[in-house]
Amino acid sequence: MTVTIKDVAKKAGVSIATVSYAINGSPRISEATRNHVLSIATELNYVANNNARQLKQKKSNAIGLFFNSWFGPIYSELVKGIEQICHQHGYDLVACSMYGNEHSTAHKYIRDRMVDGAIILTNSFDDDFLKSIARKDFPLVVLDREVSASHIYNILIDNFGGAFAATKALISSGCKDIYYFGGPDDSYDNQKRLDGYIAALGYFNISVNHDLLIKSDFTEKSAYSQMCELLENGKRPEAVFSANDEMAIGIIRAAKEHGIDIPTEMKLVGFDDIHMAELMIPRLSTISHQKTGMGELAATTLIKALSGENDMEELRILPTKLILRETL
């Protein structure tokens, strides 16, 4: 049975990132830790992927894109932008999902540097691991999270500002009890959008009511079920800020089935401005941002880093815009 880097980390009582630091001679760890890890690696007969390392000595002319899932309306527009820039500059795009976790193809490609650089759209790689593999000759672009380290470039959208604008618009329409339908707790986007929602309430001197904070998972199905449960329990929200459009679509469906008219009885604002937002009945008011443009910027940034360009911005925040339609 092949010994993996995870096996070494477990036996040595350290993180995978620390094992990578030790193997790659990184100064981020002490000499004592390095010697300890290397002795465990020798004991377990761990062999790094030398073939991949030899291949990496030559440019592959490929960029890796690593993300959690193939599905979702945001991904298609994002990937479109990345593909366009890669094609223009003669790079192939290798896209891998994180299915299989540490045994996934994505982990293998990035761990063994089988591409020239990578665009990361997943929190499955922890910060320490990303810091341990980022190099001048292997730059990373990270989307929807912040990782501060050399050769790692962060591209974000203004989640806070967008959420603030959405909540402010609902309050300005006369609503005070505004529900927040959020995503997973470990989602960077969700946390920033929640922060924006709370800040907008504070701006208008409205206290946060934790009973109005609904923990969901960014999917239409879950938001539909949760809104149905609220309505069936006699709760009729006068307003909802949904942290993405997919959940907003589920909320619209639940409201229709329970005879709730939007926007006269319940106002609603989503986030992302996906294609379906404009096709809904009623058409969804939402927060728009540059999805294809974000992909183009991510690929352009990575290619500039690969070409050795200096004085590059390590953090870029793309603007958002409130789109008023028929649910507000």
Side-chain angles (χ1 to χ4, degrees), residues 8 35-46:
V8 177
N35 291 336
H36 169 64
V37 171
L38 293 179
S39 68
I40 296 297
T42 301
E43 177 187 334
L44 296 178
N45 294 317
Y46 172 72

Side-chain angles (χ1 to χ4, degrees), residues 80-134:
K80 179 182 177 182
I82 294 171
E83 283 181 322
Q84 288 174 347
I85 298 301
C86 288
H87 178 73
Q88 290 172 13
H89 290 82
Y91 280 89
D92 292 324
L93 181 65
V94 178
C96 299
S97 78
M98 297 303 301
Y99 183 79
N101 297 318
E102 69 271 9
H103 301 296
S104 67
T105 302
H107 264 82
K108 178 178 176 63
Y109 265 76
I110 195 169
R111 185 179 61 241
D112 296 328
R113 301 177 197 169
M114 298 174 71
V115 288
D116 293 335
I119 298 171
I120 310 297
L121 187 56
T122 173
N123 54 13
S124 295
F125 297 124
D126 65 36
D127 290 2
D128 286 341
F129 177 72
L130 295 179
K131 291 176 183 179
S132 75
I133 62 171

Side-chain angles (χ1 to χ4, degrees), residues 140-162:
L140 304 176
V141 172
V142 179
L143 309 182
D144 291 343
R145 62 192 279 199
E146 294 181 64
V147 183
S148 180
S150 298
H151 314 302
I152 297 181
Y153 304 92
N154 302 263
I155 299 176
L156 311 170
I157 60 174
D158 186 10
N159 288 295
F160 180 94

Side-chain angles (χ1 to χ4, degrees), residues 196-268:
Y197 161 85
I198 292 172
L201 294 180
Y203 181 82
F204 287 95
N205 295 314
I206 300 173
S207 299
V208 177
N209 182 346
H210 291 273
D211 291 336
L212 306 186
L213 304 181
I214 307 300
K215 290 186 178 181
S216 196
D217 63 0
F218 283 149
T219 68
E220 177 187 347
K221 181 179 179 181
S222 289
Y224 165 79
S225 297
Q226 289 168 310
M227 179 54 75
C228 285
E229 184 177 353
L230 285 173
L231 296 172
E232 288 161 7
N233 287 334
K235 297 178 181 178
R236 295 169 67 93
E238 65 171 349
V240 177
F241 169 44
S242 172
N244 80 345
D245 287 349
E246 291 180 74
M247 290 192 297
I249 290 170
I251 291 167
I252 291 174
R253 186 159 62 94
K256 284 183 177 179
E257 290 181 6
H258 289 77
I260 305 296
D261 183 74
I262 298 175
T264 56
E265 295 179 271
M266 183 175 78
K267 301 184 189 304
L268 173 66

Side-chain angles (χ1 to χ4, degrees), residues 67 69-79 218 244 246 274:
F67 50 87
S69 170
W70 291 101
F71 305 104
I74 300 296
Y75 287 118
S76 60
E77 294 187 56
L78 186 70
V79 173
F218 283 149
N244 80 345
E246 291 180 74
I274 63 176

